[in-house]
Amino acid sequence: MPSVLIVEDDPSIRQSLIEVLTEHGYAVRSAADGFGALREVTQAPVDAVVLDLGLPDLDGGDALRMIRGISSVPVLVATARDDEREIIKLLNAGADDYLVKPFSGGQLIARLTAVLRRTSHVPPAGTPAGAPVAATSEPLRATTVGELAVDPGARTAYLAGRELRLTRREFDLLAFLAHHCGQVVSKRRLLTEVWREPYVDDQTVDVHLSSLRRKLGERAAAPRYLLTVRGVGIKLVAPR
């Protein structure tokens, strides 16, 4: 049974999240503030954290960075802030995914299930005992495209000899595109094969592509490696 820590200061929302997760087979612990969350993570490991940003004692972004300082536990941020720059900042600070409030219980379960599938060997709640965990369709290979070198095995990416500091999701996205270099990959396929979430909106991909472009030193209006084929998808190519 996977365990989840809910960090939410509103008692009614916290109880609602606890009920939803419990009904779906998760073991749930909770904290009402940032320092309480840090104590919980320190005292006993959990498989995932759902972190609200509007905490009474710490800014949620600071709480996220402090959690990252002591644990690699997957963190799903729940935020009312839908500004793209703010979301990118959170992802760069170590969030594994995000939900914009208000969200349904179904959205929470879908995102949490996908995060656990991607980041750990813990099967999502509801998985039958002994059921195999799905693997990617094919192993990703080390690839060099122009001055960009991506090694999925070592989980490293270098641009012109300089190591790129990528989040877990940014690296997975880049490695998949590099593996399929020159091919146009649809956002639906990225959600299915990288995020393992075919039923969420394309904005999830857009946010990560925007952050990845910035780290590659390019913009959507002036791309070098990541080319958008309007209405079709994205492809990674060597700069001309």
Side-chain angles (χ1 to χ4, degrees):
M1 178 183 294
S3 58
V4 179
L5 173 63
I6 297 292
V7 187
E8 168 63 61
D9 67 314
D10 186 301
S12 61
I13 295 177
R14 186 169 65 247
Q15 185 58 37
S16 176
L17 296 178
I18 291 172
E19 290 175 0
V20 168
L21 290 171
T22 301
E23 288 173 1
H24 284 80
Y26 289 91
V28 185
R29 288 155 48 195
S30 67
D33 55 41
F35 286 114
L38 292 170
R39 284 194 298 271
E40 289 287 338
V41 171
T42 302
Q43 290 173 1
V46 291
D47 297 311
V49 175
V50 178
L51 175 65
D52 176 52
L53 294 186
L55 301 175
D57 59 342
L58 288 174
D59 175 79
D62 292 334
L64 171 62
R65 283 182 281 274
M66 293 173 75
I67 290 173
R68 272 291 158 265
I70 60 175
S71 174
S72 60
V73 61
V75 177
L76 178 61
V77 168
T79 176
R81 311 169 193 174
D82 59 357
D83 179 73
E84 182 178 292
R85 289 173 297 180
E86 181 67 20
I87 291 172
I88 289 173
K89 183 178 178 181
L90 291 167
L91 293 169
N92 286 335
D96 291 272
D97 207 343
Y98 67 95
L99 278 167
V100 176
K101 293 181 174 181
F103 54 83
S104 67
Q107 287 178 300
L108 171 62
I109 295 301
R111 292 293 181 101
L112 188 57
T113 298
V115 164
L116 286 171
R117 186 188 301 124
R118 288 190 306 269
T119 60
S120 74
H121 300 295
V122 179
T127 303
V133 177
T136 54
S137 55
E138 56 179 316
L140 302 184
R141 61 179 180 273
T143 307
T144 300
V145 183
E147 293 184 303
L148 177 65
V150 183
D151 186 344
R155 292 193 68 82
T156 57
Y158 289 85
L159 180 62
R162 176 179 61 85
E163 186 169 7
L164 298 174
R165 298 187 64 180
L166 305 176
T167 65
R168 178 188 291 121
R169 188 67 52 72
E170 289 167 354
F171 182 87
D172 291 342
L173 175 59
L174 181 62
F176 187 85
L177 290 172
H179 182 74
H180 298 281
C181 180
Q183 301 177 29
V184 180
V185 182
S186 70
K187 292 178 183 177
R188 290 288 97 186
R189 184 178 178 190
L190 291 173
L191 287 169
T192 300
E193 299 198 37
V194 178
W195 271 259
R196 310 283 183 88
E197 300 180 61
Y199 305 113
V200 298
D201 60 76
D202 293 350
Q203 185 185 11
T204 299
V205 178
D206 292 335
V207 168
H208 286 81
L209 283 173
S210 178
S211 179
L212 190 55
R213 277 195 171 102
R214 190 179 70 257
K215 293 181 180 181
L216 291 173
E218 62 180 64
R219 297 177 293 112
R224 298 180 64 241
Y225 285 95
L226 299 174
L227 301 185
T228 297
V229 180
R230 190 172 299 278
V232 182
I234 189 87
K235 66 176 177 179
L236 188 143
V237 297
R240 296 179 180 178

